[in-house]
Amino acid sequence: MQTSQTATDLIKTYEGFRPEPYYCAGGVLSIGYGTARNYRDGHPIQLGDEIDEFSAELELVCHIREQVEPALDRIFPNAGLSFPQRDALASFVYNMGGGNPKRYETLVRLVNERAPDHEICDQLVKYRLAGGKRQLGLYRRRLAECCVWLDRPFEQAQYADWSTNWRDLTGYVQPVPVIPEPEPEPEPVTKPEPVPKRQRFRGRPRRTIKAEQPQPEQPQPEQPVEPRRAPISRRTRQPHEVPYRIQRDAGLKPLEESKRAMGYVYQQVGTGIVRVGAGLGLGGFGFVAQDPVLSTTVVTLFVVGAVFVTGWVLREYGDWKRERGEYEAQQGLY
């Protein structure tokens, strides 16, 4: 980004034109509109040289394009300068020099940090010394650069004195920062103070216990006295739990019925054993007839006889037990 004609006019106004070489306030040999040390072709300035206004302005413009603008890009890389701000800094760097920016490092920091305009202008007017002394011409130049920075006309700064302030000169009104209203703090939740134990129950009415008054006895109706019965054992089965083969409402099965049933069981078991013994006897005779080694009549008769006798005994015992149960049931014996 190049500087505009405003920067050239500002430099020409405060440098002034001199056709012959002269020593500036810093002791440097200069000529024209402040061209110092060398011409644009590299030839050094010497005493006795002479230059016209056109050549002096040409030397000034070439110096701005070749020296000042590259210095602005190097010193203020992140400033995001507008055209008026760039013109103001071009005049400042042309006057102070761009080779050693440490001389004005505070201004460099503020510009690169994009500080507010009033902070930059307050710092800019501080650079008004030459040879360790205050120079009114430098102060007027700084005021003019403040006007250009704020995009105001700079011609009125030529008549300023030490009492002139850049704010009054430019009509600058510092914007009031908008402070957001603080959010209302939530009301603190206050917990009720605990009531001491001694006072905790003082507000409650005491409960009075009334004495019970004797009630007149009322005659109770006489109830019939039931006969006392013996308790029923838990092992006694109810009628609906007994597996009767006859009528279900016949009552509990007496003891004789059980004896008769057991006799029938023994009778059936004995009959089955007798049949088994008869079968073994027939099979034994057939087996002995085929095997001459075991053909002994004693063994065969012993086995068959033992089985047959056992079955017969059980059968007879069952008949006797069944008959005894039927007899006791008929006689009603217990």
Side-chain angles (χ1 to χ4, degrees):
M1 181 187 296
Q2 294 183 353
T3 57
S4 65
Q5 185 63 33
T6 304
T8 304
D9 295 341
L10 178 60
I11 295 173
K12 288 172 58 178
T13 300
Y14 289 94
E15 289 290 341
F17 172 72
R18 295 187 181 183
E20 297 177 355
Y22 64 96
Y23 288 96
C24 65
V28 180
L29 188 61
S30 305
I31 195 174
Y33 292 108
T35 303
R37 293 188 178 88
N38 300 319
Y39 296 102
R40 58 188 177 88
D41 58 358
H43 185 74
I45 300 174
Q46 297 179 358
L47 294 175
D49 293 345
E50 189 175 353
I51 192 172
D52 56 5
E53 292 186 10
F54 177 79
S55 299
E57 185 174 355
L58 183 61
E59 291 286 343
L60 173 61
V61 173
C62 291
H63 184 76
I64 293 174
R65 296 289 182 268
E66 296 176 2
Q67 301 295 331
V68 176
E69 291 178 357
L72 293 176
D73 297 334
R74 184 180 68 256
I75 298 171
F76 308 102
N78 303 320
L81 301 173
S82 62
F83 283 103
Q85 294 172 350
R86 192 175 180 86
D87 292 339
L89 292 178
S91 172
F92 179 82
V93 172
Y94 185 87
N95 178 233
M96 301 291 294
N100 187 17
K102 291 184 178 181
R103 297 170 56 189
Y104 42 91
E105 59 182 356
T106 303
L107 179 65
V108 173
R109 177 179 58 80
L110 293 175
V111 173
N112 283 324
E113 292 178 356
R114 302 185 182 184
D117 293 337
H118 65 273
E119 294 185 10
I120 295 177
C121 292
D122 286 340
Q123 183 65 29
L124 189 62
V125 296
K126 294 180 180 179
Y127 302 98
R128 54 182 181 268
L129 300 179
K133 297 181 180 180
R134 294 192 308 169
Q135 301 292 333
L136 182 59
L138 289 178
Y139 182 66
R140 291 173 177 174
R141 184 168 186 167
R142 299 289 94 86
L143 292 176
E145 291 168 356
C146 290
C147 293
V148 175
W149 177 274
L150 298 174
D151 198 14
R152 304 287 198 278
F154 65 89
E155 288 79 9
Q156 54 187 350
Q158 300 180 17
Y159 310 103
D161 54 16
W162 291 112
S163 62
T164 305
N165 187 281
W166 69 267
R167 287 179 171 82
D168 299 334
L169 191 64
T170 59
Y172 177 80
V173 178
Q174 183 174 340
V176 179
V178 179
I179 301 176
E181 296 182 0
E183 298 181 358
E185 297 181 357
E187 297 181 359
V189 180
T190 56
K191 296 183 179 180
E193 298 182 358
V195 181
K197 292 184 178 180
R198 295 181 179 180
Q199 301 178 1
R200 189 173 298 173
F201 302 101
R202 288 185 178 181
R204 299 182 182 179
R206 294 186 178 182
R207 184 178 59 181
T208 57
I209 301 176
K210 297 182 179 179
E212 296 182 356
Q213 298 179 0
Q215 299 292 336
E217 296 183 358
Q218 298 180 0
Q220 299 292 336
E222 295 182 359
Q223 298 180 358
V225 179
E226 296 182 358
R228 187 174 182 181
R229 298 180 181 180
I232 301 175
S233 176
R234 294 181 180 178
R235 297 182 180 180
T236 303
R237 293 188 296 179
Q238 299 298 324
H240 65 276
E241 297 177 351
V242 180
Y244 286 103
R245 295 182 180 178
I246 54 178
Q247 298 179 4
R248 292 183 59 88
D249 55 350
L252 297 175
K253 182 193 295 185
L255 182 62
E256 290 74 17
E257 289 290 330
S258 299
K259 290 183 179 181
R260 185 170 55 185
M262 291 301 296
Y264 178 77
V265 171
Y266 280 110
Q267 183 183 7
Q268 294 298 324
V269 172
T271 302
I273 293 176
V274 170
R275 292 177 182 176
V276 172
L280 290 175
L282 295 176
F285 280 113
F287 181 73
V288 171
Q290 295 179 3
D291 192 354
V293 179
L294 299 177
S295 58
T296 167
T297 307
V298 178
V299 175
T300 303
L301 292 176
F302 179 77
V303 173
V304 174
V307 175
F308 186 81
V309 169
T310 303
W312 180 79
V313 171
L314 289 175
R315 180 178 179 181
E316 291 297 327
Y317 176 73
D319 291 341
W320 174 80
K321 194 171 184 65
R322 183 177 181 182
E323 292 176 358
R324 182 176 176 83
E326 292 177 354
Y327 174 76
E328 292 180 356
Q330 292 175 1
Q331 296 297 326
L333 299 177
Y334 294 92

